[in-house]
Amino acid sequence: MIDYLIVGAGLAGISFADLALNNNKKIVVFENNSQNSSRIAGGLYNPVILKRFTEVWDASSQLCDMDDFYNSLRNKFSVAFDTKLPIYRKFFSIEEQNNWFLASDKKSLAPFLSTTLQFKKYNGIDAPFGYGEVLKTGYVDTSLLLEHYRGYLLSRSLLFQQEFKYDDIVFLEEGIAYNGIKAKHIIFAEGFGMHQNPYFNYLPLDGTKGELFIIKAPNLTLDVIVNTSVFILPLGDGLFKVGATYNWKDKTDLPTSDGKEELIARIKEIISCEFEVIEHFAGVRPTVRDRRPLVGTHDTYSQLHILNGLGTRGVMLGPSMAKALYNNIEHQLPLSDEINWNRYLKKFRK
């Protein structure tokens, strides 16, 4: 009998898989590539919500767990997936500058907001009011990361690239059986695919579609991430990743003409040079109404667990939430009420 059968090999699934393997647990992973939000994600990590100048929930702890995770993977694969890069928030007025300084005085935000305004000139961007620099930021190449990790699992015969069929689960006195595999636990890390899961599909995982570009702008000189209504992330050779839109109605992963028009308009608000759209892609983020993850154990079947709802911050939340769930299962450490999925179960029972 193995320890964990993991359904889903996105950021949540591989975060849990790696933690389990590092603790000498036996695992297998099922992935049918039906969800692409982790692969096409912008990959940014940022401890500040720049729209409102507020701290991301539990940011310091998440950044610490994140660094441990990506440093470990860099050593394992001899590949740097994590690039430390400042995020500059472009200001459009003196009022925005003042709001920045007010926010930087707050104890929770002081470690993340530089009090020195930046006025560096970038060809292709007009910024007469300068920028605010966010600290402890960067991005993860999620596509490269998933490619390497899935290859690693395949090389060890731990990855099954096929659909997981819920009806084939057989519950045992201790654990489950599934198509010849016996496991103590199943970890469902399916992203928006959770809606097909009969054990957890009633949870309020809304899903928010996001569309992104790769653009070519040879005359844009940028060595930081610029973030206003969208982010512009330099990739090198005149290429930039740009995103993202937010659509709460469309649940497909198909790029749209409306999304394209919106992104183009927002890019033109930021840069003044010519650019060409090279790629246009889309995915549905696993977002939750209260903007907190869905983590924990099924209330009837103790063998079943959920690790989901990472939303727009998967690269930050994945390692931390995997650690919380692992410690809850293996060491009975309680989950915080903010992430435990049963916060919704209590509401349903009322």
Side-chain angles (χ1 to χ4, degrees):
M1 179 176 283
I2 65 170
D3 295 287
Y4 293 102
L5 188 159
I6 302 168
V7 183
L11 289 167
I14 69 167
S15 294
F16 194 93
D18 199 63
L19 181 58
L21 289 172
N22 288 343
N23 283 276
N24 299 313
K25 300 299 181 181
K26 296 178 181 179
I27 72 166
V28 294
V29 180
F30 280 75
E31 172 59 65
N32 67 355
N33 296 312
S34 64
Q35 305 299 314
N36 70 343
S37 63
S38 288
R39 180 177 56 81
I40 64 100
L44 272 63
Y45 53 89
N46 173 11
V48 181
I49 300 170
L50 290 173
K51 186 176 181 179
R52 299 185 295 273
F53 295 154
T54 55
E55 182 192 8
V56 168
W57 164 74
D58 202 27
S60 295
S61 176
Q62 291 172 28
L63 287 172
C64 183
D65 290 333
M66 183 196 76
D67 282 340
D68 289 344
F69 178 64
Y70 295 116
N71 287 337
S72 171
L73 293 184
R74 180 186 60 198
N75 294 333
K76 178 177 291 188
F77 297 115
S78 298
V79 177
F81 305 104
D82 173 14
T83 300
K84 306 295 184 186
L85 200 63
I87 290 179
Y88 279 15
R89 167 62 156 81
K90 179 182 172 180
F91 295 131
F92 291 88
S93 65
I94 295 294
E95 183 183 5
E96 284 195 337
Q97 291 180 348
N98 293 335
N99 289 340
W100 180 272
F101 285 117
L102 288 173
S104 67
D105 280 339
K106 296 178 182 178
K107 184 178 180 180
S108 61
L109 289 172
F112 306 127
L113 298 182
S114 172
T115 55
T116 302
L117 298 188
Q118 302 294 327
F119 289 93
K120 186 173 180 179
K121 303 294 183 182
Y122 291 108
N123 189 53
I125 300 183
D126 297 321
F129 298 100
Y131 308 87
E133 180 181 359
V134 189
L135 308 175
K136 302 183 181 181
T137 61
Y139 71 96
V140 172
D141 189 331
T142 56
S143 179
L144 184 67
L145 169 60
L146 295 180
E147 176 188 344
H148 274 76
Y149 208 92
R150 291 175 183 181
Y152 166 71
L153 292 173
L154 276 171
S155 71
R156 301 182 67 179
S157 300
L158 300 178
L159 180 62
F160 292 83
Q161 295 180 299
Q162 58 188 255
E163 181 181 357
F164 184 85
K165 298 181 179 180
Y166 307 98
D167 290 343
D168 290 346
I169 299 174
V170 177
F171 290 93
L172 308 175
E173 187 173 338
E174 293 186 3
I176 61 95
Y178 179 81
N179 292 355
I181 300 170
K182 289 184 178 181
K184 296 177 183 177
H185 306 277
I186 301 180
I187 306 297
F188 290 114
E190 306 149 297
F192 191 65
M194 186 200 78
H195 285 283
Q196 307 304 317
N197 185 330
Y199 299 100
F200 291 103
N201 61 6
Y202 58 89
L203 292 177
L205 189 75
D206 291 341
T208 307
K209 181 172 182 173
E211 300 188 47
L212 301 94
F213 284 165
I214 301 294
I215 65 170
K216 189 171 185 66
N219 296 322
L220 178 60
T221 60
L222 199 60
D223 57 0
V224 298
I225 302 165
V226 169
N227 194 322
T228 56
S229 58
V230 293
F231 68 81
I232 301 180
L233 165 64
L235 301 175
D237 297 324
L239 296 175
F240 301 84
K241 181 178 281 190
V242 181
T245 63
Y246 292 82
N247 187 322
W248 287 269
K249 294 181 180 180
D250 184 356
K251 307 301 182 182
T252 71
D253 58 5
L254 301 175
T256 66
S257 57
D258 286 347
K260 183 175 184 177
E261 290 176 9
E262 180 181 344
L263 280 177
I264 288 174
R266 292 189 178 188
I267 293 169
K268 289 180 177 179
E269 292 175 353
I270 304 171
I271 68 176
S272 56
C273 59
E274 296 294 321
F275 64 90
E276 175 188 1
V277 178
I278 303 298
E279 289 185 69
H280 180 193
F281 38 93
V284 181
R285 314 171 184 94
T287 53
V288 185
R289 294 172 190 171
D290 63 3
R291 301 183 181 181
R292 296 289 183 268
L294 299 170
V295 182
T297 301
H298 196 277
D299 61 316
T300 301
Y301 302 104
S302 61
Q303 307 97 320
L304 306 185
H305 315 271
I306 186 170
L307 179 59
N308 209 320
L310 304 187
T312 62
R313 302 185 184 276
V315 296
M316 275 182 67
L317 275 171
S320 187
M321 295 303 100
K323 180 180 177 182
L325 180 58
Y326 181 85
N327 285 334
N328 178 249
I329 297 170
E330 293 292 336
H331 307 298
Q332 292 74 55
L333 296 183
L335 296 168
S336 74
D337 291 338
E338 287 185 290
I339 68 171
N340 197 325
W341 74 271
N342 70 16
R343 66 190 185 271
Y344 286 106
L345 181 63
K346 293 172 183 176
K347 291 179 183 179
F348 295 146
R349 282 182 170 166
K350 289 179 181 177

